[in-house]
Amino acid sequence: MRLATWNVNSVRARVDRVVAFLERSQTDVLAIQETKCRDEQFPVAAFEAAGYEVAHVGHSAWNGVAIASRVGIADVATSFPGQPGFAKPTAPAATDDAPAEAPEPEPAALLDVPPPVEARALGATCGGVRVWSLYVPHGRAIGDPHYAYKLAWLGALRDAAAGWLDADPAAQVALMGDWNVIPLDTDVYDPAAFAGHTHVTPAEREAFAAFADAGYTEVTRQHLPAEHTYTYWDYQQLAFPRNKGLRIDFAYASPRLADRVTGVVIDRDERKGKGASDHVPVVLDVAAPAT
DNA sequence: ATGGTGGGAATCCCA
């Protein structure tokens, strides 16, 4: 079986490329991030025509995660237990004409309603594997509320994932997606360029490493340990021709699933040409389970 | 050279 993950940066803008990748790579289950659409906007027909069922969660033009599978798709979950939400700050900025005043409280704040859970995690059981398509919050800037949200989100996911292994040490779980963390200095073209930025802080790196502490193996590093192996290149500044990339797309596997992974491929060619996503697919080859 | 790219609900926001 072949499992893959790919941040496609709008599934509607790239549906032809995504379906062509599925057929070319013979991927059975694809975890998709940044679909950038609502459920009713997802181009399901193109996937079904290629033989894939789709589960998706998307609330707006932002975020959105999906799983496409040709080996079944069951027990879909549109968030993980304890997944934190995020609300945009609503206070208007002070100006010369309008000095800072007490902002109008949002109705949600008046009612003390928790912030909405974003479309960043989708779970489904496909071919006997519990697959999670994950789009970890970016963080924006150190000290930004989004940065605290990112750390809380990763911590809550770790707690949930640890719980799944506690409940069933033989569980077949794949945590795949865009983690928005650069775990090692050798995962970025120039560490100095990220000094003072998100993705490389000790807190983010510890939050990422905590999944290994919980018993999961990051199988893409296990099989592709070479330094400066990237999965993302910015659209700007000719980053891809200059190979100024980042390694931020990963797959943590539970012990029993990690045992089955026989190889990993990063499909670097998918970054080439007109209409490419800024991320490329990461593909896992998974052997049949031991009988 | 103070821009640069590419998505989206778009004369702005987000990555």
Side-chain angles (χ1 to χ4, degrees), chain A residues 4 28 32 47 54 78 102 138 142-144 151 160 162 175 232 246 251 291:
Chain A
D28 297 295
I32 304 170
F47 287 81
V54 174
T78 57
H138 178 281
I142 298 167
D144 190 291
L151 295 176
L175 309 175
Y232 163 92
L246 310 176
T291 51

Side-chain angles (χ1 to χ4, degrees), chain A residues 166-291:
Chain A
D166 284 344
D168 178 10
Q172 306 270 341
V173 183
L175 309 175
M176 300 196 292
D178 174 0
W179 292 75
N180 268 319
V181 176
I182 300 168
L184 305 176
D185 281 349
T186 48
D187 293 329
V188 50
Y189 61 94
D190 178 12
F194 271 74
H197 291 265
T198 61
H199 294 55
V200 298
T201 65
E204 289 165 283
R205 287 176 168 176
E206 286 163 15
F208 182 81
F211 291 82
D213 299 335
Y216 290 80
T217 299
E218 206 292 280
V219 291
T220 78
R221 177 99 53 202
Q222 180 183 32
H223 288 269
L224 297 175
E227 297 180 348
H228 305 290
T229 298
Y230 304 133
T231 63
Y232 163 92
W233 297 260
D234 199 286
Y235 285 122
Q236 301 181 56
Q237 299 281 110
L238 298 173
F240 183 61
R242 293 171 176 167
N243 198 29
K244 295 174 77 169
L246 310 176
R247 187 171 192 169
I248 55 177
D249 299 274
F250 300 100
Y252 271 110
S254 64
R256 287 291 173 84
L257 180 63
D259 287 344
R260 296 169 55 197
V261 176
T262 57
V264 176
V265 170
I266 294 174
D267 190 356
R268 194 178 187 284
D269 287 347
E270 192 51 64
R271 186 64 179 79
K272 297 176 180 175
K274 194 171 173 62
S277 172
D278 41 4
H279 297 249
V280 294
V282 179
V283 185
L284 316 182
D285 269 310
V286 180
T291 51

